[in-house]
């Protein structure tokens, strides 16, 4: 029998302590007694279980203020569904809260017995959402990527989520073997016509539900940090009025896609029709407020998961 390493033993203990605390409802003193350790050790193990994502905590109670904000946003922007999570004033994270809520919503879709086509964008928030998914087997569904999974240097894009999601839910998946932005419109047309790509495009166009992130446009934007845009291109886009992007498609303050050479080179697929697909965006954080507002104004999405602070900004605008 293979000998278990010290690290694995500690994770086993953390999983046991986490289960006793969050599932069985034991106190840290009771956990310490049952595991034969000190209270301080029990406390550290419980903390480790959360830090290592062995335990995933989700709020199972609708907060009245969040429900009221969701209803108001739904009416104002004619959205199909809205979920608002509590704001953490001390956190600068762009994913906390919305990633967990997005995972819960995605799991509800995955548990449907009828076959679905689920389209996925990319980015840090969606990656955090997929990390929160519970393992399940969903061979009846198909997962399709709206964006390329190739970085500008030819390596696999780190924040592309389709492979990790497919691994978590055991569903057939259809990646896009392209960068987000290519060198020219002609190259985009050539790549989209390839036999390996064309079926993915056709599949994405009939998606039942779509999950995307909303990116801000500034000199710290993901498209720039990840190497898809050059600094001079970003500066030109900002002068042209860019405030946000979804799957690389860049739009202005009113949500209209910019008439710009960069948008002509976006190799990502178009966002599926909101008439036939539920398009859910996940986004939070003060720096994303202009981009979220523009996305709902432009009708790029018909579902939104965000936090209280962003919701109040949208309602006041």
């Amino acid at each position: 029998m293979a000998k278990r390493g010290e690290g694995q033993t500690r994770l086993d203990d953390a999983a046991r302590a986490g289960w006793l605390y969050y599932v069985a409802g034991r106190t840290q003193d009771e956990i310490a007694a049952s595991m034969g350790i000190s209270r301080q050790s029990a406390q550290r193990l419980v903390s480790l279980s959360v830090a290592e994502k062995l335990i995933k905590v989700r709020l199972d109670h609708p907060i009245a203020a969040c429900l009221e904000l969701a209803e108001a946003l739904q009416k104002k922007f004619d959205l199909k569904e809205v979920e608002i999570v509590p704001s953490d004033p001390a956190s600068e994270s762009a994913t906390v809260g919305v990633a967990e809520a997005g995972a819960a919503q995605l799991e509800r879709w995955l548990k449907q017995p009828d076959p679905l086509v689920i389209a996925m964008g990319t980015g840090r928030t969606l990656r955090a959402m997929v990390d929160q998914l519970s393992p399940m087997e969903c061979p009846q569904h198909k997962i399709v990527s709206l964006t390329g999974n190739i970085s500008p240097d030819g390596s696999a894009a780190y924040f592309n989520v389709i492979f990790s999601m497919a691994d978590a839910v055991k569903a057939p998946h259809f990646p896009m073997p392209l960068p987000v932005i290519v060198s020219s419109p002609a190259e985009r047309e050539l790549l989209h016509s390839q036999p390996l790509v064309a079926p993915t495009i056709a599949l994405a166009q009939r998606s039942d539900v779509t999950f995307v992130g909303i990116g801000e446009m500034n000199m710290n934007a993901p498209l720039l940090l990840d190497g898809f845009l050059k600094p001079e291109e970003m500066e030109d886009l900002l002068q042209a009025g860019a405030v946000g992007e979804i799957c690389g498609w860049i739009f202005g303050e009113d949500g209209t896609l910019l008439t710009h050479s960069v948008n002509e080179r976006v190799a990502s697929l178009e966002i599926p029709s909101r008439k036939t697909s539920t398009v859910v965006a996940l986004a939070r954080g003060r720096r994303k407020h202009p981009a979220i507002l523009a996305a709902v104004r432009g009708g790029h999405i018909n579902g939104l998961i965000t936090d209280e602070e962003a919701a109040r900004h949208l309602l006041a605008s």
Side-chain angles (χ1 to χ4, degrees), residues 80-81 102-103 105-106 109-110 112 116-122 126 129-130 142-147 161 165 200-214 246-247 249 268-283 299-305:
K80 290 179 66 175
E81 54 185 66
Q105 186 171 138
L106 177 53
W109 285 93
L110 288 167
Q112 294 189 25
L116 298 173
V117 177
I118 302 173
M120 299 296 296
T122 188
L126 291 195
M129 177 187 75
V130 168
K142 293 179 179 178
I143 307 168
V144 59
S145 180
L146 294 177
T147 61
V161 302
M165 178 177 169
T200 300
I201 296 175
L203 185 64
Q205 289 173 342
R206 57 185 182 87
S207 71
D208 298 287
V209 62
T210 302
F211 287 85
V212 296
I214 300 176
I246 295 177
C247 297
W249 295 102
S268 301
L269 306 187
E270 293 184 2
I271 302 168
S273 170
R274 273 68 73 201
K275 294 181 180 179
T276 56
S277 180
T278 300
V279 182
V280 181
L282 286 72
H300 297 296
I301 60 176
N302 53 16
L304 178 64
I305 300 175

Side-chain angles (χ1 to χ4, degrees), residues 10 190 274 284:
R10 184 162 175 76
L190 177 63
R274 273 68 73 201
R284 73 172 295 273

